[in-house]
Amino acid sequence: MREWRVWRKRIVSAAVLGCAGFLLTVNTALAFTNLQKNSRGPEVLQVQKCLKALGYSIPELDGVFGNSTYRAVMAFQRSNKIKITGVVDKKTYNALQVARRNFEMNGGLERETAGAGRADDGDSWQDMKGSAVNVPESQPFLLRDNVPNVIRTAKKYIGVPYKFGGDTPKAFDCSGYLQYVFARHGMNLPRTADLQFKLGRSVPASRLEAGDLVFFSTYEPGASHCGIYLGNGEFIHASSSKGVRVDKLNDDYWKAKYYGGKHIVK
């Protein structure tokens, strides 16, 4: 009976509290219970709300810890240098508290959630592209101070599926993904990989900086696939087989397909 009263108290508290309340208020008398795949309930719903507010891809707020929530948690853990398990443990939970608190203090919540809502609307996405500034060819254009913000945005969409011609968080292809990420920061890139390859200055892989672009020759000769270099030999891209993900340049497949790197950071 006592266990039921404690459990009921926990459910009611989680259901009543909003996202900020959920992350800023913890009943320390209760032992923390990990949330993982197949978990259900108001705690999962609040985690979903917070991840979505922070810009991660959560298609449906249903209180069910399914694949999309699992991928979003892994993306959050990767971005915050937490062991990537897909499980909301105490460390991940505490990091969510800090991230949400900082986000609200920096005034980013309203901008990001409004932007995420616009992204799924075709006309508004066209408006966002229209308001972005065309970037110049053959010269760097991404301010070095803005690189962490661009990379943070790029990582928010880890797990979004691939679709040829896709250019919104519902589904991306490789060049549509790059165009979308940079448009969120006011920069309008060309729509296709071969045209994006004209941007920046060619550099060897050893001289790539985080934020630069990398290109591969996959389904046709020339630059037919692209991604954003993250540093330490890693890049993020919309993979045709697994959607938005992080891979290594020296993986056998990508090493063989590597076409070139373009330095866009200034």
Side-chain angles (χ1 to χ4, degrees):
M1 191 67 170
R2 179 178 176 275
E3 290 181 355
W4 163 243
R5 287 197 300 269
V6 171
W7 177 240
R8 182 177 61 182
K9 179 180 178 182
R10 187 177 184 188
I11 292 176
V12 171
S13 297
V16 170
L17 290 172
C19 180
F22 169 72
L23 290 179
L24 297 176
T25 305
V26 180
N27 188 341
T28 55
L30 297 171
F32 184 85
T33 301
N34 289 352
L35 301 174
Q36 54 195 344
K37 265 193 171 183
N38 299 321
S39 294
R40 296 168 178 265
E43 294 94 341
V44 175
L45 177 61
Q46 298 304 329
V47 166
Q48 289 175 328
K49 288 180 178 180
C50 292
L51 286 167
K52 190 174 182 70
L54 289 168
Y56 293 89
S57 178
I58 302 287
E60 187 174 0
L61 301 174
D62 56 6
V64 178
F65 203 123
N67 288 332
S68 62
T69 302
Y70 176 73
R71 289 192 295 264
V73 170
M74 287 196 298
F76 176 81
Q77 289 171 329
R78 183 187 297 275
S79 297
N80 289 271
K81 294 181 169 51
I82 300 170
K83 184 178 179 181
I84 302 171
T85 62
V87 174
V88 180
D89 55 11
K90 189 77 175 285
K91 185 172 183 178
T92 302
Y93 175 88
N94 289 338
L96 273 169
Q97 293 185 57
V98 173
R100 178 57 186 257
R101 209 160 37 223
N102 290 343
F103 202 47
E104 291 182 327
M105 288 175 64
N106 291 332
L109 178 61
E110 293 77 12
R111 292 196 301 273
E112 286 293 326
T113 52
R118 290 195 302 269
D120 288 337
D121 180 83
D123 294 336
S124 296
W125 168 219
Q126 293 301 321
D127 291 341
M128 188 167 74
K129 284 196 292 186
S131 65
V133 176
N134 291 334
V135 299
E137 290 187 5
S138 305
Q139 59 181 291
F141 57 85
L142 174 58
L143 294 175
R144 184 167 277 102
D145 288 347
N146 202 25
V147 169
N149 297 325
V150 170
I151 289 177
R152 190 177 302 115
T153 297
K155 287 183 175 181
K156 287 176 181 177
Y157 302 104
I158 289 176
V160 170
Y162 178 92
K163 180 182 178 182
F164 186 78
D167 63 356
T168 77
K170 292 180 180 178
F172 289 115
D173 66 15
C174 63
S175 55
Y177 170 61
L178 263 60
Q179 188 185 54
Y180 180 84
V181 168
F182 280 88
R184 291 296 298 269
H185 295 274
M187 294 168 278
N188 186 36
L189 273 60
R191 178 59 182 86
T192 60
D194 59 333
L195 293 179
Q196 290 175 358
F197 186 69
K198 295 180 179 181
L199 303 175
R201 295 173 180 158
S202 294
V203 292
S206 60
R207 293 182 57 192
L208 287 169
E209 294 185 40
D212 284 342
L213 305 181
V214 289
F215 295 85
F216 306 85
S217 182
T218 53
Y219 66 90
E220 63 181 12
S224 54
H225 187 72
C226 52
I228 302 171
Y229 187 65
L230 301 176
N232 299 317
E234 294 185 328
F235 68 102
I236 189 167
H237 63 130
S239 161
S240 61
S241 59
K242 297 182 180 179
V244 178
R245 55 176 283 140
V246 174
D247 278 303
K248 293 184 178 294
L249 288 177
N250 64 0
D251 284 351
D252 289 342
Y253 178 82
W254 295 112
K255 186 176 181 179
K257 300 291 185 181
Y258 188 70
Y259 187 71
K262 302 304 288 284
H263 181 56
I264 65 169
V265 178
K266 66 176 183 179

